[in-house]
Amino acid sequence: MPHEPVGDVSLYFELHDFCEPWRAARSPIVFIHGLGGNHAMWLYQVPAFCDRFPVITVDLRGHGQSTDGDVDFSMGDMARDIARLLRNLGVARAHLVGLSLGGMVAQQLALDSPVVVASLVLADTLAGAPAGAEALLRDALRFIEESSMAAIAEARITNAFSDRVDPTMRDYLIDQVARNDKAAYVRAARAAFGFNSRERLGEISVPTLVVVGEDDRVTPPVCSEELAAGIRGARLARIPGGGHITSMEFPREFNRALADFLLPL
């Protein structure tokens, strides 16, 4: 699958389209992964939706097979990357499904380039750090800056799943995240920890679904409740027992929520 130049970086993406060509074409779904992840984390979603929507999975800058640029970047830069990718592919509008960091990128894209966004699914993410959490964020970022990728992966992925997750899945993700380039991971973490869309949520006007695992320890349900309350007409779907990566830990429930939201659009 191709790499696409989008300004100062090149994004790796995959397009999966098994829709019946005699049916009216739908806008594609773009799946955007979380911090330290890549396009492959959507393995349960691609086959569930690619016969009803064209599906695009992408590696954010500094992740997977995409390049980094070797400079600090912002959430706006990552959102602009996706907008340029869509333009280069000739996509006028797309449904964005973003998890964690990907949900922040999706929010930023909806704010910066609303014309290209058909709908939003914001999964296990937030609008910004809760008030009073500044010290916790500083400590978390310091841990990332000072630790090895192996230690970062062990701590963050263990915390991201619920206690009931299949340990084989958890260990696989720990290994995958540990393979990230440390400098690129730190740059992405700084962008995520500095993100705040709280004051602009009212500007988002596209249909929006907010999904959260009820046992999410990374971005607890209160963060999703704030998103749903701040975006006009947004729906909130809770996944009982789910941790921070509901798309992988509870794929049936996650996909059902997506289908109930996207298919009528």
Side-chain angles (χ1 to χ4, degrees):
M1 283 293 178
H3 286 77
E4 184 66 30
V6 290
D8 61 330
V9 299
S10 177
L11 295 188
Y12 176 84
F13 72 96
E14 294 186 357
L15 171 63
H16 306 268
D17 186 357
F18 292 91
C19 300
E20 296 170 330
W22 52 88
R23 305 289 184 191
R26 281 185 160 129
S27 295
I29 303 173
V30 180
F31 287 101
I32 311 174
H33 61 79
L35 178 63
N38 59 50
H39 70 281
M41 73 172 294
W42 301 105
L43 75 166
Y44 294 118
Q45 284 68 53
V46 170
F49 289 94
C50 68
D51 62 343
R52 290 175 284 184
F53 297 84
V55 166
I56 298 170
T57 57
V58 60
D59 290 345
L60 292 169
R61 64 163 62 200
H63 291 76
Q65 299 179 54
S66 292
T67 62
D68 173 54
D70 294 324
V71 295
D72 285 345
F73 51 84
S74 67
M75 202 63 63
D77 293 322
M78 288 188 279
R80 192 158 41 250
D81 292 342
I82 301 297
R84 287 171 171 167
L85 174 65
L86 294 176
R87 183 184 63 207
N88 292 355
L89 296 179
V91 175
R93 301 184 79 212
H95 304 284
L96 305 182
V97 180
L99 185 139
S100 193
L101 170 64
M104 301 177 209
V105 175
Q107 290 174 65
Q108 192 69 55
L109 183 52
L111 291 168
D112 293 348
S113 304
V115 69
V116 307
V117 180
S119 73
L120 285 175
V121 177
L122 306 175
D124 304 304
T125 190
L126 42 62
E134 293 81 8
L136 289 174
L137 283 181
R138 285 195 299 271
D139 289 345
L141 186 55
R142 187 179 305 113
F143 170 75
I144 289 172
E145 291 172 337
E146 297 177 354
S147 302
S148 67
M149 280 309 307
I152 293 167
E154 179 76 29
R156 295 187 64 82
I157 294 301
T158 298
N159 193 47
F161 283 116
S162 77
D163 296 335
R164 294 172 295 278
V165 71
D166 179 348
T168 306
M169 176 189 288
R170 181 193 60 221
D171 292 346
Y172 174 82
L173 262 291
I174 290 172
D175 177 71
Q176 292 299 299
V177 171
R179 296 170 184 263
N180 274 265
D181 176 78
K182 172 70 182 293
Y185 187 94
V186 169
R187 284 191 275 268
R190 288 172 179 160
F193 284 29
F195 175 72
N196 194 321
S197 65
R198 188 170 284 114
E199 300 302 319
R200 298 188 64 193
L201 290 178
E203 299 175 31
I204 297 175
S205 58
V206 298
T208 300
L209 172 68
V210 181
V211 181
V212 65
E214 289 189 344
D215 293 339
D216 187 343
R217 294 179 289 231
V218 179
T219 53
V222 65
C223 298
S224 290
E225 291 165 4
E226 178 185 35
L227 277 172
I231 299 173
R232 186 169 58 254
R235 293 160 47 184
L236 177 62
R238 303 172 186 268
I239 297 184
H244 184 61
I245 312 178
T246 49
S247 58
M248 296 186 71
E249 191 174 3
F250 287 86
R252 285 186 188 172
E253 293 82 353
F254 186 91
N255 290 353
R256 187 179 306 121
L258 258 61
D260 289 347
F261 173 69
L262 288 173
L263 289 175
L265 296 180

